[in-house]
Amino acid sequence: MTSRKKLQGLVAATITPMTPDGQINLPVIRQYVDYLVNKQTVKNVFVNGTTGEGLSLSIQERKQLAEEWVCQGKDKLDHVIIHVGALSLPESQELARHAAAIGAGGIAVIAPFFFKPTNKDELVSLLQKVTSEAPDVPFYYYHIPPLTGVKIRVEELLEGIKERIPTFQGVKFSDTDLLDLAQCIHKNEAQQLEFLYGVDEQLLGALAVGANGAVGSTYNYLGRQTNLMLEAFAKPDLALARKYQFLTGEFLNFVIKLVIFLRQWCPRRKTALILLSPALL
């Protein structure tokens, strides 16, 4: 791999814009990029993940979204990470090849969550088969056990993974087990891996144990405020950092109630359309 800028700070887990009839709305992405950069001071994105409902989209839709984000993000975004995980191994490999071909800044892979890997070797073997299709693209393991049910600790997974997957660059750590995260960071400091936390309301705790940054949905609309929290933590001004973290928590309490209400009458693939309305942004 060629020299690259380190992935750190905030990464917006992008929402997939939809038209009223449930089709992906590609023209929105150009203004979406400008909004993230200019209004939220966020210059990294994670595409086709949980927030973007990637696993609910067709392979063709996922490719179109990846292409548009890479195209519109050129010279504006620092990193465009494409999630290529799928329940079908050939489909995941196809998405990895596609991400490499369009010049994605990285790929991420979630653990299979129907027929689940039962141990570290099974999981690494699968990840190896996917990442080998993009041999020059940095790879991030997408760890989200609350959704996948795959509870293999990342600390265990990392032992020897770099030898088997040379492109391994880090982890999107979407779990509340800060002990696991801390041990990962402590034991792998020499490798300069990137540990990006994925539980927005607990980011401050992850920063305290050494996380490089964060991937999350709230950075689409709370990016500027969260960057102020990162600045306060770096000073350090922990009282101010806590204030920003508490504000994020209060906002999320409201959003959770809103989403529960919306899903009572709104088809899942149209939820993104509502959450992207100008009034909310």
Side-chain angles (χ1 to χ4, degrees), residues 15 38 85 111 116 135 170 175 206 213 215 219-220 223 236 256 267:
I15 299 163
N38 299 325
K116 302 178 181 65
D175 190 21
V215 181
Y219 312 136
N220 286 290
I256 290 168

Side-chain angles (χ1 to χ4, degrees), residues 154-168:
V154 179
E155 179 188 2
E156 177 189 0
L157 180 70
L158 296 191
E159 293 179 5
I161 193 172
K162 193 76 172 176
E163 287 71 27
R164 295 181 62 180
I165 306 178
T167 55
F168 178 71

Side-chain angles (χ1 to χ4, degrees), residues 199-211:
V199 184
D200 302 11
E201 62 272 27
Q202 295 185 1
L203 174 55
L204 187 56
L207 294 175
V209 299

Side-chain angles (χ1 to χ4, degrees), residues 99-157:
I102 65 175
I107 60 172
V109 183
I110 198 171
F113 51 85
F114 190 69
F115 292 111
K116 302 178 181 65
T118 59
N119 57 58
K120 167 192 168 180
D121 288 338
E122 287 182 2
L123 178 54
V124 173
S125 177
L126 180 137
L127 297 174
Q128 189 177 30
K129 290 174 182 176
V130 176
T131 57
S132 65
E133 299 297 321
D136 297 315
V137 182
F139 157 63
Y140 298 86
Y141 172 55
Y142 184 3
H143 179 63
I144 185 166
L147 289 185
T148 63
V150 177
K151 301 185 183 299
I152 299 167
R153 287 172 62 83
V154 179
E155 179 188 2
E156 177 189 0
L157 180 70

Side-chain angles (χ1 to χ4, degrees), residues 1-196:
M1 291 184 290
T2 58
S3 177
R4 59 186 287 276
K5 187 173 183 179
K6 187 173 183 178
L7 177 56
Q8 57 187 351
L10 299 184
V11 184
T14 59
I15 299 163
T16 297
M18 295 284 181
T19 63
D21 61 352
Q23 302 302 309
I24 58 173
N25 193 354
L26 293 176
V28 170
I29 293 174
R30 180 185 61 80
Q31 65 191 74
Y32 196 164
V33 170
D34 291 339
Y35 170 79
L36 286 175
V37 173
N38 299 325
K39 299 294 185 180
Q40 297 301 331
T41 62
V42 173
K43 300 190 70 175
N44 307 296
V45 294
F46 187 92
V47 178
N48 288 333
T50 304
T51 300
E53 302 184 82
L55 290 163
S56 298
L57 303 175
S58 70
I59 296 300
Q60 185 59 31
E61 287 174 323
R62 292 175 70 172
K63 286 182 177 181
Q64 290 174 326
L65 284 162
E67 290 171 10
E68 193 68 13
W69 276 102
V70 170
C71 176
Q72 298 299 335
K74 186 177 181 182
D75 301 324
K76 294 181 180 180
L77 298 174
D78 290 337
H79 295 275
V80 177
I81 309 301
I82 305 297
H83 173 241
V84 302
L87 290 180
S88 162
L89 175 58
E91 288 185 354
S92 189
Q93 291 173 314
E94 180 182 346
L95 289 168
R97 288 193 297 271
H98 178 262
I102 65 175
I107 60 172
V109 183
I110 198 171
F113 51 85
F114 190 69
F115 292 111
K116 302 178 181 65
T118 59
N119 57 58
K120 167 192 168 180
D121 288 338
E122 287 182 2
L123 178 54
V124 173
S125 177
L126 180 137
L127 297 174
Q128 189 177 30
K129 290 174 182 176
V130 176
T131 57
S132 65
E133 299 297 321
D136 297 315
V137 182
F139 157 63
Y140 298 86
Y141 172 55
Y142 184 3
H143 179 63
I144 185 166
L147 289 185
T148 63
V150 177
K151 301 185 183 299
I152 299 167
R153 287 172 62 83
V154 179
E155 179 188 2
E156 177 189 0
L157 180 70
L158 296 191
E159 293 179 5
I161 193 172
K162 193 76 172 176
E163 287 71 27
R164 295 181 62 180
I165 306 178
T167 55
F168 178 71
Q169 190 65 38
V171 180
K172 179 184 185 295
F173 194 102
S174 296
D175 190 21
T176 57
D177 187 351
L178 289 179
L179 175 59
D180 187 19
L181 176 64
Q183 290 299 300
C184 291
I185 294 169
H186 175 62
K187 292 185 176 181
N188 294 277
E189 287 179 324
Q191 296 191 58
Q192 296 185 322
L193 298 176
E194 294 155 6
F195 293 95
L196 306 163

